Amino acid sequence: MAHVELRGAMLRARWLLLLLALSSSLGPARPEPQVPCYFIFGDSLVDNGNNNNIASLAVANFPPYGVDFAGGPTGRFTNGLTSVDVIAQLLGFHGFIPPYASTRGQALLAGVNFASAAAGIREETGRQLGGRIPFSGQLQTYRSAVQEMGRILGGQETAATYLSKCIFSVGMGSNDYLNNYFMPALYGTSRQYTPEQYADVLIQQYSQQLRTLYNYGARKVALMGVGQVGCSPSELAQRSPDGVTCVEEINSAIRVFNAKLIGVVDELNALDGAHFIYINGYGIFEDIMRNSAAYGVSVTTSACCGVGRNNGQITCLPYQAPCANRNEYLYFDAFHPTEAANIVIGKRSYSARSPSDAYPMDIRRLAKV
């Protein structure tokens, strides 16, 4: 009898060891994301492949883009992660938010990225670069996605409740300056409007577009302010006398736009159940430039990959060898930050390091509302 009991105890011990081995090999259970889904709207700063299969010059699905990204070149305009990749990680998503171009059905429920390089608030913005999906077009595809989600979830009301818990980030406006207002040879807007008037026109259209987003279920929305476009290697190469001093004409126009965007946040938060926030991309970028050594960045005026003055006269070419010390550069190409800079921007968007980083709250707090 004792022999039988001993054998039974040994078998139970073996099973316990086997279960322990299995659980340790599977690792600890991963926590659920802080929100059920994350939807992204924007331009080349956050595009992750939506332009790959359209007739456009605004594409980045070739090396050296993605040189530090596990999947290689994907359409991201940087060497590795974009700021929204970082935000998705911080929100607890187990993978990156996929581009809408390759996502349908059940996968929509975790969110998708609608961003398109060269896109603007205005329809004509970026037209010299060929195909792109302006913000109005991104909203149109989002409406289609909402209808599909309604079918999956068993009705539009259920979908609306579901979407009200999700995070949305919208970063538009850079191209309306870079590839419109400050390109007078191709666009007439700078002759038609003063910077103040142009900001008003943009904000009026943007505000209406954001109301459309709200009408289709968005309740927790992070609006990314426009960054210091006048400090990009491209603008330094073209317009800066010494190649170091940022172009104040451009930056001052962007500051006017950003100030008005904070006003839009206040207006939209008067809508029922709305929680819009402003992320001060301009200020975060300015801080990285001013305190570059503290961030491990030593090159702030030249691109890691490009041609000519500041490596910014011609942007990164297919198969061009990029710089080796990419973590020390602020810009990967003539216009877009490196992964190193995107990590700082993403982290501070999610969890404000300074009171000026986000208004009235950061994304971390927005997720909990």
Side-chain angles (χ1 to χ4, degrees):
M1 191 73 170
H3 177 71
V4 173
E5 282 180 5
L6 180 64
R7 195 172 168 206
M10 285 175 72
L11 277 169
R12 284 196 296 275
R14 276 184 192 168
W15 272 110
L16 189 61
L17 284 168
L18 183 64
L19 285 169
L20 283 168
L22 271 170
S23 65
S24 65
S25 68
L26 290 170
R30 285 200 269 184
E32 282 297 300
Q34 293 151 37
V35 289
C37 47
Y38 178 25
F39 290 95
I40 299 154
F41 300 83
D43 51 32
S44 56
L45 292 170
V46 294
D47 185 353
N48 63 344
N50 286 310
N51 276 22
N52 288 356
N53 296 311
I54 61 177
S56 179
L57 294 172
V59 289
N61 57 341
F62 51 82
Y65 290 104
V67 62
D68 300 309
F69 190 77
T74 55
R76 289 168 169 82
F77 285 73
T78 186
N79 56 306
L81 303 178
T82 64
S83 58
V84 295
D85 288 330
V86 176
I87 291 166
Q89 286 178 331
L90 292 168
L91 284 168
F93 286 94
H94 302 153
F96 298 118
I97 304 300
Y100 180 73
S102 59
T103 312
R104 295 294 184 278
Q106 201 80 20
L108 292 171
L109 296 179
V112 282
N113 186 332
F114 297 97
S116 170
I121 295 164
R122 291 174 68 91
E123 300 297 310
E124 82 276 10
T125 288
R127 70 185 167 206
Q128 83 280 6
L129 295 166
R132 72 247 176 257
I133 309 158
F135 189 33
S136 61
Q138 293 178 37
L139 288 170
Q140 210 170 325
T141 48
Y142 168 66
R143 286 200 293 267
S144 303
V146 170
Q147 284 164 357
E148 196 171 343
M149 287 170 76
R151 287 193 289 273
I152 295 164
L153 295 168
Q156 291 305 317
E157 247 178 76
T158 315
T161 304
Y162 184 80
L163 289 166
S164 71
K165 298 167 187 167
C166 302
I167 294 279
F168 293 74
S169 66
V170 186
M172 302 299 303
S174 297
N175 287 311
D176 295 293
Y177 287 95
L178 187 67
N179 287 303
N180 191 325
Y181 193 78
F182 288 105
M183 211 172 256
L186 296 176
Y187 299 91
T189 44
S190 61
R191 291 183 292 279
Q192 196 177 351
Y193 305 110
T194 65
E196 183 81 26
Q197 289 168 337
Y198 188 60
D200 280 332
V201 167
L202 282 181
I203 286 291
Q204 187 182 5
Q205 188 173 352
Y206 198 20
S207 178
Q208 287 170 350
Q209 291 167 334
L210 292 167
R211 282 173 189 267
T212 300
L213 188 62
Y214 169 86
N215 290 338
Y216 280 84
R219 292 297 179 270
K220 301 181 181 189
V221 186
L223 302 181
M224 308 299 191
V226 176
Q228 289 190 300
V229 175
C231 300
S232 67
S234 172
E235 296 304 327
L236 292 178
Q238 291 176 64
R239 300 167 189 262
S240 174
D242 59 2
V244 174
T245 309
C246 294
V247 184
E248 180 56 21
E249 184 191 8
I250 297 175
N251 283 350
S252 63
I254 285 165
R255 287 195 300 272
V256 172
F257 173 83
N258 284 338
K260 291 178 190 292
L261 189 55
I262 295 169
V264 170
V265 166
D266 289 333
E267 276 175 35
L268 295 174
N269 280 340
L271 298 170
D272 185 43
H275 299 282
F276 281 75
I277 67 168
Y278 170 78
I279 300 296
N280 184 12
Y282 187 102
I284 295 168
F285 218 80
E286 188 172 42
D287 182 50
I288 300 171
M289 289 193 74
R290 278 185 183 163
N291 304 296
S292 53
Y295 292 100
V297 172
S298 56
V299 187
T300 59
T301 57
S302 287
C304 171
C305 183
V307 179
R309 190 184 188 209
N310 298 79
N311 278 352
Q313 285 176 292
I314 300 171
T315 197
C316 194
L317 296 167
Y319 299 93
Q320 184 182 349
C323 64
N325 54 332
R326 293 180 284 278
N327 284 343
E328 294 174 29
Y329 275 72
L330 185 58
Y331 285 93
F332 182 66
D333 68 9
F335 307 98
H336 306 99
T338 55
E339 175 185 80
N342 283 330
I343 288 170
V344 176
I345 296 161
K347 281 182 173 177
R348 286 177 66 167
S349 301
Y350 176 76
S351 183
R353 186 174 149 179
S354 146
S356 64
D357 284 358
Y359 169 83
M361 68 183 88
D362 54 25
I363 293 173
R364 184 176 57 87
R365 283 180 57 204
L366 183 65
K368 293 175 182 173
V369 169

